[in-house]
C-alpha cells in the first residue's frame, strides 16, 4: 500500500462548499476526536447548549462526529427565562430540523422567589439562575460528562482549563489540582457522582469560530447581524428593549439604533455594539480590526477581579 | 513583518499604547504551529510571550485596560503594562506571583496561527513542561544574555528532546542590557548548538532578542543590532514544520463503532499515521483479521483518501469483529504487538511510580492493565541514567511494562500518537505518568527466556559501531561490556563450553 495520496476529495453532490483550509480542518478534526472519545467513554453524556455562536459550532461538530448516526446525547439548555426571544425560537427550530433531544431547565426558584436580573443584581441572579440551575439539571439527568463550548482564548482563567475538566460530585473545579493532559490521550476515569466537562473548542479563537461558521454555512441566531433595533442605555451598555418586562428607569429612553451582538447571554445583561455588519464577511472583517475582546459586553465578567474563575470553581460553565 | 516605525511609535507613548491596526487578515493556509516556551521568570519569559501577543494584536483594549487596572502602576519602564498579568490567569498565581500550571495562548499572523503552551521554569514543575511539550512541534528556550546557559537550559532541552521535539529556537533575551554585544551572543549560541547536538537536535536557530523593547520578536531589531542578519522569532515560527514523525504505515485507533441502522456499520477514529484509500487491505489488531476498506465516510464528503489527522469513519467489505480500543493498520507495515515493552516516562504525581503496582494504561482509545517496573532514572544535571527502583514525582525514568493482554504500539520516535501513553492510578483515577514506547521486549520462553543472556565476542571496532546505534544506546544499561585481548576472549568463551 503506498503511503502518500494527494488529499483529493470527492464532493458529495449535495455539497457545494469548498474544502476547509488546513487550519480549520485541524481544529475540526480535533473537536470531532474529542466528541467521539467522550461519547464512547462515558455512560450519560450531555451537551450544554447556550444557543450562541459557539454552541452552534459545537452542535455542527457533534452532527459531523456521529454522522451518519444521530447525535447520541441530549442537548441541555439552562433557560434563565431572560434569554432573547429570538434565541428560544432559534433553539426550537434547530431541535426540529436536526432531530435532536432537548432538555430545557429553569431553576424553579426563579418563579417562586421572583429572581430577576433587576431585583437581585447580576451576580446573585447569575449564581441562582445559571450556576445553581445547571447543577440542578446535571444532577437530575445524572450526567457524567457535559460538553461545553468554552474556548481558552476567551478569558484568563480558561487558558489553563483542560479539555477534559474534572468536577467533584458537587460540580466544583479545582484549578490547582487539575489532571495533567498529555498528547491527545484523555483520562475519562471517574467515580460515581463525579463528572467531566469536555471542551472540544478549547483551541479555537473567536475568529476561528466565525470563519468556520462561514465556511460550513452554519445557521446562527439573527441577533449577531446588524439591524435597527430598539435599545435603552444602562450602566454603559446598550440593552435590547423589546421585552415588556424591561422597565425603563427614570431618565432612560428607548430609541432605535443599528446594532448587533457579539455574544449572547441574558438580554438585560448583554450589551449590544454599534455595527453595520450584516453579513459574515462584515462580521469577520469587523472582528479582525476590533480593539476590544468579545466578553467586554458581558456584565457578569466585570463584577470583580477573577470573577470568572470564582464562578467556575462554583460550577459555572 | 517589518514595521519598525510602529514599534518605536508604541515606545514613545507613556500610557498604554495600542499597536496600530492592520488590514483584515486573510485565510491562513497552513496548520497551526504548537510551541512551548521554556525559561524562568528571570529570563523574561512572560515578557516575551506578552510581547508576542501584543505585537500580533492578540490583546484587545479592554484586556489592556483591566491589565492597567490590575497592575496598579506596575508598568515597565517603556510605559507598557506588566505582561505577566496577561498570562497568569489564576488568582492563586497572581497572589504568589508565579506561574503554576500549563496555560495555552493563541495568536496569529497573516501567514499562520500559533498555540503556545506556556509552562513554568521551576525545577519542581518538570511535569508541566512535559505536558506542554507533549503536543509541541517546536521549543523556544529562553536565556538571559547576561547570564548565558544555565543548568535549567540543559534540563529544558533534555525534556523537550525526550518528548519528541526536534526544532529549537534559542532566544538570547535582554541583549539590550549587554549593549548588543555580538560576541556574547555568538558565544551563547555556539554553546547552545553544542548542547543541542549532544541531544541529537540539529534544527537550532539562535536569535538575539529584547522582549521588553520588542526587538527581533515580531519586529526586527536591525536599528540596534545591524550585525544580526538572521530571522526574527516570528519568522522562524512562521516557517517551522508541524510534527510529521508519522512515518510508519496507516494507523487508526478505533474510538467507536457506528451502527445507526442495520444497513450501516462504520468504524470511527482519527488517522494516527500514514494514509488509507478505498480498496486498501487492512488488518484489525489485536485479532489479526483482514478486511478491505470500501468507503471513507465523512459528514459532507465521501473521500477517496484519508491522511494522518483526519477524523473519519471507515466501512469494510465484510463483517468483522471490531471494537473500541482495536487498531486498524496497514497490512504491509504493522505496529508491534506483545505483552512486554520498554518505555520512558515522566512521573506526574506526588505518589511517584511504585514498582510492581498495577496501573491503567491508556494509549489512543485503548485502555488496559499494566505492571510497571522502574529501571533507571535520568539525572537531569549530568544527563546520566542511574539505577532506580521507584520514580518520584518529576522524575524521568526508563521502565519495563508488562501487560495481561496484547498491547499495540509503535516506537514513539516513529509515531507520536501510537507510541505515547498515560498511566492512571486505579486508586485515585488520577493521571500519574506520561510515557513513550522505546521498544518491544522479547518474551521468548525456555533458554531464551527474558532473564537469559548472550555473550558476544567482537572485534573492538565492530563493537564500537554497534554500541553507537540507537537500539543499543537505548538499552545500554542492560548490557555488560568488558574490553579484553583477543586471546583472553577465547579463553573465557572456552570455559563456557566446557
Amino acid at each position: 500500500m503506498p503511503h502518500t495520496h494527494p488529499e483529493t476529495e470527492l464532493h458529495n453532490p449535495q455539497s457545494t462548499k469548498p474544502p476547509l483550509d488546513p487550519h480549520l480542518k485541524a481544529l475540526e478534526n480535533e473537536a470531532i476526536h474529542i466528541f467521539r472519545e467522550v461519547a464512547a467513554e462515558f455512560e450519560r453524556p450531555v451537551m450544554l447548549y447556550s444557543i450562541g455562536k459557539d454552541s452552534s459550532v459545537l452542535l455542527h461538530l457533534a452532527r459531523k462526529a456521529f454522522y451518519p448516526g444521530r447525535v447520541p446525547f441530549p442537548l441541555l439548555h439552562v433557560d434563565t427565562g431572560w434569554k432573547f426571544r429570538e434565541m428560544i425560537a432559534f433553539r426550537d427550530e434547530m431541535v426540529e430540523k436536526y432531530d435532536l433531544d432537548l432538555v430545557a431547565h429553569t431553576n424553579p426558584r426563579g418563579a417562586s422567589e421572583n429572581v430577576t436580573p433587576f431585583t437581585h443584581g447580576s451576580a446573585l441572579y447569575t449564581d441562582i439562575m445559571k450556576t445553581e440551575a445547571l447543577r440542578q439539571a446535571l444532577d437530575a439527568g445524572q450526567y457524567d460528562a457535559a460538553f461545553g463550548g468554552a474556548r481558552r482564548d476567551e478569558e484568563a482563567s480558561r487558558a489553563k482549563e483542560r479539555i477534559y475538566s474534572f468536577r467533584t460530585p458537587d460540580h466544583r473545579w479545582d484549578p490547582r489540582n487539575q489532571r495533567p493532559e498529555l498528547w491527545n490521550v484523555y483520562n475519562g476515569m471517574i467515580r460515581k457522582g463525579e463528572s467531566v466537562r469536555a471542551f472540544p473548542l478549547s483551541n479555537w479563537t473567536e475568529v476561528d469560530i466565525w470563519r468556520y461558521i462561514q465556511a460550513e454555512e452554519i445557521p446562527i441566531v439573527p441577533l449577531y447581524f446588524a439591524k435597527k433595533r430598539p435599545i435603552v442605555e444602562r450602566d454603559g451598555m446598550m440593552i435590547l428593549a423589546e421585552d415588556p418586562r424591561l422597565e425603563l428607569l427614570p431618565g432612560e429612553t428607548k430609541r432605535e439604533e443599528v446594532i448587533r451582538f457579539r455574544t449572547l447571554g441574558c438580554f438585560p445583561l448583554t450589551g449590544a455594539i454599534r455595527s453595520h455588519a450584516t453579513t459574515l464577511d462584515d462580521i469577520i472583517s469587523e472582528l479582525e480590526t476590533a480593539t476590544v475582546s468579545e466578553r467586554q459586553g458581558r456584565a457578569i465578567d466585570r463584577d470583580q477581579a477573577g470573577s470568572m474563575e470564582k464562578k467556575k470553581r462554583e460550577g459555572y460553565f | 513583518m517589518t514595521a519598525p516605525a510602529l514599534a518605536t511609535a508604541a515606545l514613545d507613548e507613556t500610557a498604554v499604547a495600542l499597536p496600530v491596526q492592520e488590514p483584515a487578515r486573510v485565510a491562513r493556509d497552513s496548520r497551526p504551529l504548537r510551541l512551548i516556551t521554556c525559561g524562568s521568570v528571570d529570563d523574561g519569559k512572560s515578557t516575551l510571550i506578552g510581547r508576542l501577543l501584543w505585537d500580533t494584536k492578540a490583546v484587545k483594549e479592554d484586556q489592556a485596560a483591566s491589565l492597567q487596572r490590575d497592575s496598579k502602576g506596575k508598568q515597565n519602564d517603556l510605559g507598557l503594562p506588566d505582561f505577566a498579568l496577561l498570562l497568569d490567569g489564576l488568582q492563586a498565581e497572581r497572589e504568589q506571583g508565579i506561574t503554576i500550571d500549563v496555560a495555552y495562548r493563541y495568536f496569529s499572523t497573516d501567514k499562520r496561527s500559533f498555540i503556545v503552551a506556556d509552562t513554568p521554569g521551576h525545577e519542581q514543575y518538570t511535569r508541566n513542561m512535559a505536558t506542554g511539550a507533549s503536543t509541541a512541534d517546536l521549543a523556544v528556550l529562553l536565556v538571559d544574555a547576561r547570564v548565558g546557559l544555565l543548568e535549567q537550559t540543559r534540563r529544558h532541552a533534555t525534556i523537550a528532546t525526550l518528548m519528541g521535539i526536534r526544532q529549537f529556537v534559542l532566544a538570547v533575551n535582554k541583549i539590550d542590557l549587554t549593549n548588543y554585544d555580538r560576541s556574547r551572543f555568538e558565544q551563547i549560541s555556539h554553546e547552545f548548538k553544542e548542547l543541542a547536538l549532544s541531544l541529537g537536535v540539529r534544527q537550532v536557530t539562535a536569535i538575539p532578542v529584547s522582549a521588553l523593547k520588542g526587538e527581533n520578536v515580531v519586529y526586527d531589531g536591525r536599528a540596534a543590532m545591524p550585525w544580526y542578519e538572521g530571522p526574527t522569532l516570528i519568522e522562524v515560527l512562521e516557517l517551522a514544520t508541524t510534527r510529521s514523525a508519522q512515518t510508519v504505515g496507516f494507523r487508526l485507533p478505533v474510538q467507536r463503532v457506528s451502527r445507526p441502522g442495520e444497513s450501516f456499520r462504520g468504524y470511527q477514529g482519527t488517522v494516527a499515521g500514514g494514509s488509507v484509500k478505498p480498496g486498501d487491505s487492512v488488518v484489525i489488531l489485536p485479532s489479526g483479521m483482514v478486511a478491505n476498506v470500501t468507503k471513507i465516510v465523512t459528514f459532507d464528503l465521501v473521500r477517496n483518501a484519508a491522511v494522518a489527522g483526519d477524523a473519519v469513519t471507515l466501512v469494510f467489505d465484510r463483517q468483522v469483529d471490531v471494537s473500541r480500543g482495536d487498531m486498524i493498520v496497514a497490512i504491509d507495515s504493522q505496529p508491534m504487538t506483545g505483552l512486554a515493552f520498554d518505555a520512558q516516562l515522566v512521573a506526574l504525581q506526588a505518589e511517584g511510580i511504585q514498582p510492581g503496582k498495577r496501573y491503567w494504561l491508556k494509549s489512543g482509545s485503548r485502555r488496559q492493565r499494566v505492571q510497571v517496573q522502574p529501571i533507571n532514572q535520568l539525572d537531569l544535571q549530568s544527563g546520566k541514567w542511574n539505577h532506580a527502583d521507584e520514580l518520584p514525582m518529576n522524575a524521568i525514568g526508563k521502565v519495563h511494562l508488562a501487560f495481561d493482554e496484547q498491547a499495540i504500539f509503535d516506537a514513539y520516535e516513529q509515531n507520536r500518537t501510537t507510541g505515547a501513553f498515560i498511566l492512571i492510578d486505579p486508586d485515585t483515577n488520577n493521571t500519574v505518568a506520561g510515557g513513550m514506547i522505546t521498544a518491544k521486549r522479547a518474551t521468548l520462553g525456555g533458554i531464551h527466556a527474558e532473564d537469559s543472556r548472550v555473550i558476544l565476542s567482537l572485534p573492538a571496532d565492530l563493537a564500537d559501531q554497534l554500541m553507537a546505534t540507537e537500539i543499543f544506546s537505548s538499552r545500554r544499561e542492560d548490557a555488560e561490556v568488558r574490553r579484553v585481548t583477543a586471546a583472553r576472549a577465547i579463553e573465557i568463551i572456552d570455559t563456557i563450553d566446557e
Side-chain angles (χ1 to χ4, degrees):
Chain A
M1 189 176 67
H3 294 301
T4 47
H5 300 291
E7 198 193 358
T8 45
E9 292 165 340
L10 294 178
H11 277 261
N12 185 328
Q14 293 107 335
S15 171
T16 53
K17 290 179 293 188
L20 282 173
D21 72 54
H23 170 77
L24 291 177
K25 188 77 201 163
L27 291 173
E28 178 189 79
N29 280 328
E30 180 184 59
I32 289 176
H33 183 85
I34 295 162
F35 264 117
R36 289 171 171 174
E37 200 61 12
V38 172
E41 278 199 306
F42 291 85
E43 280 171 32
R44 293 180 65 83
V46 68
M47 187 181 117
L48 306 180
Y49 180 65
S50 74
I51 320 173
K53 63 184 193 308
D54 301 300
S55 278
S56 293
V57 168
L58 203 59
L59 174 59
H60 185 75
L61 289 163
R63 293 176 55 231
K64 281 195 149 187
F66 302 106
Y67 177 86
R70 295 176 81 222
V71 175
F73 39 77
L75 271 54
L76 171 62
H77 178 223
V78 174
D79 189 352
T80 57
W82 294 89
K83 296 291 168 191
F84 293 88
R85 277 199 312 245
E86 280 177 75
M87 290 174 74
I88 302 299
F90 179 86
R91 176 193 76 185
D92 295 342
E93 190 189 319
M94 290 300 110
V95 167
E96 173 78 26
K97 187 169 168 187
Y98 297 133
D99 182 26
L100 305 165
D101 299 321
L102 176 77
V103 178
H105 174 75
T106 304
N107 189 341
R109 281 177 71 191
S112 66
E113 297 172 32
N114 192 33
V115 180
T116 76
F118 309 118
T119 51
H120 287 66
S122 73
L124 184 58
Y125 159 80
T126 302
D127 186 47
I128 297 171
M129 297 309 288
K130 291 180 86 169
T131 310
E132 185 180 292
L134 175 65
R135 283 200 300 254
Q136 290 169 345
L138 291 175
D139 287 340
Q142 295 182 318
Y143 302 115
D144 54 359
F147 293 101
R151 292 177 282 113
R152 286 176 182 149
D153 85 322
E154 264 178 284
E155 204 271 340
S157 74
R158 283 187 169 159
K160 306 192 173 190
E161 181 84 84
R162 303 296 192 256
I163 286 174
Y164 272 35
S165 181
F166 179 81
R167 302 299 159 104
T168 61
D170 55 355
H171 306 290
R172 282 174 192 273
W173 179 60
D174 180 0
R176 309 248 4 204
N177 201 18
Q178 299 194 79
R179 290 178 178 175
E181 209 163 63
L182 293 90
W183 301 285
N184 62 346
V185 190
Y186 305 109
N187 176 357
M189 295 192 66
I190 54 168
R191 292 199 182 85
K192 201 168 169 52
E194 296 169 341
S195 66
V196 157
R197 302 277 167 88
F199 300 113
L201 305 181
S202 286
N203 288 320
W204 296 52
T205 63
E206 191 186 8
V207 180
D208 295 330
I209 294 287
W210 284 111
R211 290 185 53 236
Y212 188 72
I213 287 171
Q214 183 177 46
E216 292 284 294
E217 298 161 15
I218 300 170
I220 52 169
V221 183
L223 289 162
Y224 285 112
F225 297 104
K227 199 179 132 185
K228 193 176 261 189
R229 295 185 170 95
I231 59 118
V232 60
E233 223 159 300
R234 182 176 292 179
D235 302 331
M237 294 195 306
M238 288 186 288
I239 296 170
L240 190 69
E242 61 168 16
D243 192 299
R245 291 174 298 173
L246 178 74
E247 289 169 20
L248 294 188
L249 302 174
E252 284 181 347
T253 50
K254 211 194 266 196
R255 64 171 198 274
E256 299 238 303
E257 287 255 11
V258 179
I259 52 144
R260 66 178 203 90
F261 292 86
R262 219 171 138 188
T263 66
L264 293 177
C266 298
F267 78 83
L269 301 176
T270 308
I273 55 169
R274 282 193 184 83
S275 165
H276 290 277
T278 54
T279 65
L280 289 169
D281 275 331
D282 293 346
I283 289 176
I284 291 167
S285 67
E286 185 182 279
L287 197 68
E288 282 173 334
T289 53
T291 55
V292 294
S293 76
E294 65 186 302
R295 295 203 70 89
Q296 197 257 347
R298 293 296 194 93
I300 60 166
D301 287 4
R302 292 184 290 177
D303 296 345
Q304 63 190 93
S307 63
M308 178 63 89
E309 183 190 345
K310 188 164 165 291
K311 287 190 187 70
K312 280 169 59 63
R313 281 170 183 269
E314 288 158 3
Y316 185 68
F317 307 105
Chain B
M1 255 192 195
T2 26
L6 296 186
T8 32
L11 302 183
D12 292 337
E13 303 281 342
T14 45
V16 174
L18 281 163
V20 176
Q21 294 302 325
E22 286 185 345
R25 287 170 189 145
V26 285
R28 290 162 223 114
D29 57 2
S30 48
R31 292 173 55 186
L33 184 81
R34 291 174 182 252
L35 59 137
I36 180 171
T37 50
C38 320
S40 71
V41 185
D42 302 335
D43 304 326
K45 183 165 64 81
S46 296
T47 311
L48 181 72
I49 299 173
R51 172 59 72 181
L52 277 169
L53 299 181
W54 190 260
D55 283 355
T56 57
K57 288 114 195 157
V59 183
K60 306 290 186 187
E61 259 171 25
D62 57 321
Q63 292 166 321
S66 73
L67 202 60
Q68 195 78 335
R69 186 188 68 207
D70 291 355
S71 54
K72 294 189 183 87
K74 272 203 292 179
Q75 286 180 12
N76 65 41
D77 52 12
L78 297 174
L80 296 170
D82 185 347
F83 287 134
L85 284 174
L86 250 187
L87 310 179
D88 292 342
L90 302 182
Q91 276 192 308
E93 290 176 30
R94 291 191 188 187
E95 285 150 16
Q96 295 176 18
I98 54 158
T99 313
I100 53 167
D101 204 319
V102 188
Y104 296 88
R105 319 285 174 198
Y106 303 82
F107 64 94
S108 58
T109 66
D110 312 4
K111 298 197 178 72
R112 191 178 225 172
S113 61
F114 304 91
I115 303 176
V116 185
D118 177 14
T119 64
H122 311 279
E123 182 177 12
Q124 63 270 37
Y125 295 115
T126 298
R127 58 180 221 142
N128 292 328
M129 202 197 131
T131 303
S134 69
T135 49
D137 305 301
L138 177 148
V140 177
L141 292 106
L142 200 65
V143 295
D144 184 328
R146 297 167 302 174
V147 181
L149 302 193
L150 290 172
E151 208 47 64
Q152 73 164 14
T153 317
R154 164 172 289 278
R155 225 164 32 227
H156 293 156
T158 306
I159 298 168
T161 311
L162 277 169
M163 302 303 290
I165 298 176
R166 294 293 177 267
Q167 301 175 91
F168 284 170
V169 174
L170 181 75
V172 182
N173 193 25
K174 305 190 187 181
I175 193 76
D176 51 321
L177 300 181
T178 69
N179 281 321
Y180 302 99
D181 185 344
R182 177 180 189 168
S183 63
R184 180 81 189 128
F185 166 71
E186 281 170 355
Q187 181 203 339
I188 296 172
S189 49
H190 177 76
E191 280 174 32
F192 183 75
K193 280 173 186 165
E194 299 268 287
L195 164 63
L197 267 181
S198 76
L199 295 167
V201 177
R202 286 187 171 78
Q203 279 204 56
V204 180
T205 313
I207 307 173
V209 161
S210 168
L212 193 68
K213 296 191 168 175
E215 292 162 340
N216 285 337
V217 181
V218 173
Y219 301 113
D220 72 60
R222 224 160 276 152
M225 290 168 270
W227 49 265
Y228 177 72
E229 289 170 347
T232 61
L233 176 58
I234 203 83
E235 285 167 348
V236 177
L237 300 183
E238 283 175 342
L239 293 174
T241 51
T242 51
R243 62 180 163 145
S244 53
Q246 336 282 14
T247 50
V248 291
F250 174 66
R251 305 281 183 266
L252 184 122
V254 177
Q255 289 185 282
R256 62 193 293 278
V257 179
S258 171
R259 297 188 68 183
E262 282 307 303
S263 59
F264 187 90
R265 191 182 174 95
Y267 307 104
Q268 302 190 313
T270 305
V271 179
S275 63
V276 70
K277 62 182 194 310
D280 282 350
S281 294
V282 292
V283 178
I284 295 100
L285 295 176
S287 72
M289 284 184 301
V290 174
N292 299 310
V293 175
T294 54
K295 256 196 281 187
I296 302 169
V297 177
T298 65
F299 182 77
D300 33 15
L301 307 165
V302 175
R303 293 173 149 233
N304 60 11
V307 297
D310 288 343
V312 295
T313 302
L314 296 187
V315 179
F316 292 157
D317 63 340
R318 66 194 79 170
Q319 285 274 350
V320 277
D321 187 17
V322 182
S323 48
R324 173 175 165 81
D326 290 354
M327 205 190 292
I328 302 171
V329 306
I331 201 162
D332 58 355
S333 169
Q334 300 190 21
M336 303 176 281
T337 55
L339 296 173
F341 285 84
D342 290 327
Q344 296 182 339
L345 55 77
V346 183
L348 303 170
Q349 301 295 349
E351 317 85 86
I353 296 299
Q354 306 300 324
K357 177 162 173 158
R358 286 164 59 78
Y359 294 94
W360 283 109
L361 178 144
K362 191 177 176 196
S363 174
S365 56
R366 190 172 176 83
R367 199 182 74 191
Q368 55 192 131
R369 294 312 282 260
V370 67
Q371 205 167 356
V372 182
Q373 191 59 53
I375 307 297
N376 285 317
Q377 182 179 341
L378 179 64
D379 178 353
L380 279 167
Q381 294 205 356
S382 66
K384 290 202 168 67
W385 293 92
N386 300 325
H387 175 80
D389 290 322
E390 56 186 291
L391 298 169
M393 176 154 79
N394 287 312
I396 294 170
K398 292 189 180 181
V399 298
H400 291 169
L401 303 175
F403 295 92
D404 300 343
E405 291 173 346
Q406 290 287 313
I408 311 158
F409 293 110
D410 286 295
Y412 187 71
E413 277 289 317
Q414 252 117 50
N415 190 314
R416 274 176 84 176
T417 306
T418 53
F421 63 87
I422 59 169
L423 293 181
I424 301 166
D425 186 330
D427 302 329
T428 62
N429 284 338
N430 206 344
T431 306
V432 295
M436 296 143 285
I437 296 294
T438 46
K440 180 180 167 178
R441 287 181 71 74
T443 48
L444 305 170
I447 185 121
H448 304 297
E450 207 175 323
D451 62 347
S452 74
R453 309 286 295 187
V454 173
I455 295 175
L456 291 171
S457 170
L458 305 170
D461 61 330
L462 178 56
D464 287 341
Q465 279 180 41
L466 211 58
M467 286 192 289
T469 61
E470 174 88 6
I471 185 146
F472 191 96
S473 59
S474 72
R475 294 188 56 191
R476 177 65 186 82
E477 70 282 357
D478 293 343
E480 296 279 346
V481 179
R482 297 283 185 285
R483 288 176 190 271
V484 294
T485 61
R488 178 79 178 121
I490 292 168
E491 229 175 85
I492 296 168
I493 289 183
D494 282 350
T495 9
I496 300 169
D497 292 339
E498 278 161 13

